[in-house]
Amino acid sequence: MTAYPKPAGGAPNFPQLETEVLAYWGADDTFRASIARRDDAPEYVFYDGPPFANGLPHYGHLLTGYVKDIVPRYRTMRGYKVERRFGWDTHGLPAELEVQRQLGITDKTQIEELGIDKFNEACRASVLKYTNEWQAYVTRQARWVDFDNDYKTLDLTFMESVLWAFKQLWDKGLAYEGNRYCRTAGTTRRRCPTTSCGWTRTSTSRVSTRQ
């Protein structure tokens, strides 16, 4: 493999250049080397909002992925040690609704009949369905992340760390219960559609943190 930068040789073939660079980075283990050589450097921690792994990536992930790659690269070039552990969001309605669709469940009582433990196990299996596709997609866009030491929001260590962080905010008096206005389309729903008109204001109770 020719070392970079390569000498000019006519019009460049950008797709070919991209795959060659990715192959070079893989053979050289460039990403891990950039971390290992900064063992004694100050650490810069960067966790981006993790995606759901039970759905395939799309253009929106591609666009934001570049932004998420720029920050740790810049900090690395500034001399920091930046371990970029990739994460998976395994909580929330997207995970539950996908499993309900797979199992043909349309009502809460059906989940209870199946058993909460069995439903949860099906959710665990479903949320990591497309991890290989995600890894190929993220790698192809030349983003440097650590998939081998990834984190999942279903891990007890992750959930406990979130509770610990909120407890710190609570102890410092930075968490409080208040009201805010939620714009909805003539309804008292909490979730707001993005393509609606005839807005009304409704007050919803929520817990917030002071900046």
Side-chain angles (χ1 to χ4, degrees), residues 18-63:
E18 289 178 5
T19 55
E20 288 179 358
V21 169
L22 290 175
Y24 176 79
W25 284 348
D28 184 64
D29 206 13
T30 311
F31 169 50
R32 286 182 175 80
S34 72
I35 297 174
R37 66 185 300 180
R38 291 173 173 80
D39 271 341
D40 298 328
E43 187 177 21
Y44 183 84
V45 179
F46 183 87
Y47 290 109
D48 62 75
F52 287 99
N54 66 340
L56 291 170
H58 53 70
Y59 176 73
H61 298 114
L62 177 71
L63 184 63

Side-chain angles (χ1 to χ4, degrees), residues 96 99-100 103 105 107-124:
E96 296 176 12
V99 172
Q100 288 182 223
L103 300 179
I105 292 176
D107 187 79
K108 176 185 175 183
T109 57
Q110 293 175 288
I111 298 177
E112 296 171 343
E113 292 172 0
L114 174 67
I116 300 297
D117 56 339
K118 293 181 179 179
F119 182 76
N120 284 344
E121 190 58 39
C123 287
R124 290 189 187 95

Side-chain angles (χ1 to χ4, degrees), residues 7-209:
N13 184 329
F14 290 114
Q16 180 181 344
L17 286 174
E18 289 178 5
T19 55
E20 288 179 358
V21 169
L22 290 175
Y24 176 79
W25 284 348
D28 184 64
D29 206 13
T30 311
F31 169 50
R32 286 182 175 80
S34 72
I35 297 174
R37 66 185 300 180
R38 291 173 173 80
D39 271 341
D40 298 328
E43 187 177 21
Y44 183 84
V45 179
F46 183 87
Y47 290 109
D48 62 75
F52 287 99
N54 66 340
L56 291 170
H58 53 70
Y59 176 73
H61 298 114
L62 177 71
L63 184 63
T64 57
Y66 284 121
V67 178
K68 294 175 181 180
D69 192 51
I70 289 173
V71 175
R73 281 183 186 269
Y74 170 75
R75 288 294 179 177
T76 299
M77 290 188 291
R78 296 290 293 177
Y80 290 88
K81 179 180 179 180
V82 189
E83 294 183 350
R84 283 154 265 182
R85 295 176 59 192
F86 201 75
W88 306 105
D89 190 343
T90 58
H91 281 80
L93 281 176
E96 296 176 12
L97 292 176
E98 175 62 18
V99 172
Q100 288 182 223
R101 185 191 66 79
Q102 294 172 0
L103 300 179
I105 292 176
T106 58
D107 187 79
K108 176 185 175 183
T109 57
Q110 293 175 288
I111 298 177
E112 296 171 343
E113 292 172 0
L114 174 67
I116 300 297
D117 56 339
K118 293 181 179 179
F119 182 76
N120 284 344
E121 190 58 39
C123 287
R124 290 189 187 95
S126 172
V127 292
L128 300 175
K129 181 178 180 180
Y130 296 111
T131 52
N132 291 334
E133 288 83 353
W134 269 95
Q135 183 168 352
Y137 187 89
V138 172
T139 302
R140 182 65 179 83
Q141 74 173 108
R143 184 180 171 192
W144 281 358
V145 292
D146 185 355
F147 285 103
D148 295 332
N149 298 299
D150 58 359
Y151 72 93
K152 307 172 185 66
T153 62
L154 60 79
D155 293 338
L156 285 177
T157 52
F158 177 87
M159 291 187 283
E160 289 173 352
S161 70
V162 173
L163 294 175
W164 174 87
F166 185 79
K167 178 65 162 53
Q168 306 309 304
L169 295 172
W170 178 268
D171 290 344
K172 295 177 182 179
L174 298 176
Y176 66 95
E177 183 175 1
N179 295 307
R180 73 166 187 173
Y181 287 108
C182 177
R183 292 190 170 189
T184 59
T187 176
T188 56
R189 290 180 300 174
R190 286 176 182 264
R191 298 193 66 183
C192 308
T194 56
T195 56
S196 300
C197 55
W199 299 102
T200 61
R201 289 177 178 265
T202 59
S203 178
T204 62
S205 178
R206 61 175 289 141
V207 174
S208 303
T209 58

